[in-house]
Amino acid sequence: MYSIKMRASKQNKHISGAERIVNKDEIKKAVLEVLERALNHENGEPDFINIKVEKLDRVNFIPTLPIYTIECKNKEEARKKAKELLLNEGIPEEVIEKAFKIIDKGGMRGAAILNLKGERLDKNKERGVRVKNIDTSKKLKEKILDGLGTERTVDAIAIATKVIHLGVIAELCTSDNKSYTTGYVATKKGYFRITNLKNVNETGGRVFFVDDNIDIDELIYKLENEPYIVTEHDRENKKRA
Ligand code: PML
């Protein structure tokens, strides 16, 4: 299979990125799709677009985390829900607060990694760690777009399912798209979409919570390099209000 990666920027500022893992006969179509996405992004018109096509040796297939949606009427309620989910996974309250500060500060292309002592383990604090070499199966994508979520959900479920599969305890995420206010918490129990996790016009970010004794170099290597396609799962239709 082949990896296709797109990144678009304007005056060196990141605008959008996308990636796919496809068979050889699907390369052309996928390249056009990511190009289309680069050219039509609400964060602006790019002056630089890079599209890279690479052959992959081996691809792992894993089932998606079950997807739930938690409707919240405002940011306060949403943050309370997110906190509850993270506390249930054993993440200490002060580490959760630190994570909220990181996502609210924004400006990182990748994720911050925090251990349970609240120490930052990713090496490049400006950029964070980018989860790469991921895609969802066509069937899963169709299912998500058929009422479970949006294009952003499709991308995020690939990231969240891969990171939880690789041993991350939980992920907290809000979008860096100014108008996209639904964020999520992912744990081994599921991918919990939370509406109003931030307000319109606020920045966003990602934090991965890991055990204190994790082999961080191995984790980062796998997050960046091991190819994963996330597939359908029976329980994915469940919703939680
Ligand atoms: C969802 O709708 O499921 C939340 C997706 C958050 C996307 C974060 C991002 O923009 O990368």
Side-chain angles (χ1 to χ4, degrees), residues 50 54 62 69 71 87 103 106 112 121 164 170 174 179 187 192 203 215-216 234:
N50 178 293
E54 254 175 320
I62 50 171
T69 298
E71 300 283 350
L87 286 171
I103 62 171
L121 304 183
I164 299 296
T174 50
S179 63
T187 72
F192 298 90
T203 50
D215 181 337
I216 191 66
D234 286 353

Side-chain angles (χ1 to χ4, degrees), residues 150 152-153 156 173-176 180 182-184 191 193 206:
T150 66
R152 302 213 76 81
T153 314
C173 170
T174 50
S175 178
D176 52 10
Y180 201 91
T182 301
Y184 67 89
Y191 174 91
R193 308 181 69 225
R206 278 197 155 83

Side-chain angles (χ1 to χ4, degrees), residues 10-240:
K10 185 175 187 176
Q11 288 168 352
N12 282 326
K13 200 168 173 285
H14 174 76
I15 291 183
S16 69
E19 70 172 298
R20 304 285 314 278
I21 297 175
V22 296
N23 291 317
K24 194 171 176 188
D25 61 341
E26 296 165 314
I27 294 175
K28 272 192 202 159
K29 186 165 169 272
V31 166
L32 283 177
E33 277 167 15
V34 294
L35 178 63
E36 185 74 24
R37 185 143 159 187
L39 292 171
N40 298 296
H41 199 277
E42 71 166 60
N43 285 358
E45 192 180 314
D47 57 21
F48 175 85
I49 300 172
N50 178 293
I51 297 179
K52 185 162 84 176
V53 181
E54 254 175 320
K55 193 168 195 296
L56 299 170
D57 287 339
R58 191 174 63 95
V59 178
N60 302 287
F61 289 81
I62 50 171
T64 179
L65 291 167
I67 303 170
Y68 305 97
T69 298
I70 302 176
E71 300 283 350
C72 292
K73 55 180 183 305
N74 55 38
K75 182 168 155 184
E76 197 191 344
E77 187 184 320
R79 296 250 160 158
K80 207 165 146 226
K81 282 281 179 198
K83 201 165 156 180
E84 236 172 74
L85 290 164
L86 294 167
L87 286 171
N88 282 342
E89 297 304 313
I91 317 290
E93 187 164 358
E94 60 279 12
V95 181
I96 299 173
E97 294 305 335
K98 183 165 183 182
F100 279 134
K101 284 208 182 90
I102 292 172
I103 62 171
D104 289 343
K105 185 162 176 252
M108 276 194 310
R109 285 188 59 197
I113 303 184
L114 291 181
N115 66 14
L116 299 183
K117 295 190 197 116
E119 294 164 339
R120 250 205 68 199
L121 304 183
D122 47 305
K123 320 269 185 265
N124 181 339
K125 308 274 183 297
E126 300 293 302
R127 195 185 68 118
V129 172
R130 295 206 61 209
V131 180
K132 291 186 281 193
N133 288 302
I134 43 168
D135 202 352
T136 49
S137 68
K138 277 197 200 78
K139 232 172 157 185
L140 176 60
K141 185 171 180 175
E142 276 165 21
K143 255 194 147 162
I144 293 173
L145 295 179
D146 187 22
L148 276 181
T150 66
E151 289 278 356
R152 302 213 76 81
T153 314
V154 175
D155 292 346
I157 198 76
I159 295 177
T161 305
K162 176 174 174 180
V163 306
I164 299 296
H165 179 81
L166 290 177
V168 167
I169 302 171
E171 178 187 354
L172 169 69
C173 170
T174 50
S175 178
D176 52 10
N177 271 42
K178 298 259 188 268
S179 63
Y180 201 91
T181 56
T182 301
Y184 67 89
V185 167
T187 72
K188 58 184 177 312
K189 300 191 185 102
Y191 174 91
F192 298 90
R193 308 181 69 225
I194 304 176
T195 64
N196 295 310
L197 195 55
K198 67 167 209 183
N199 292 322
V200 173
N201 283 329
E202 289 179 346
T203 50
R206 278 197 155 83
V207 175
F208 301 151
F209 302 91
V210 297
D211 264 331
D212 294 346
N213 58 2
I214 192 112
D215 181 337
I216 191 66
D217 292 331
E218 187 187 347
L219 177 69
I220 292 175
Y221 177 80
K222 288 182 174 171
L223 289 172
E224 292 181 337
N225 297 293
E226 275 201 350
Y228 279 87
I229 293 184
V230 177
T231 63
E232 229 192 334
H233 192 284
D234 286 353
R235 289 179 296 156
E236 72 193 359
N237 275 325
K238 279 187 200 160
K239 281 201 171 190
R240 194 173 106 157

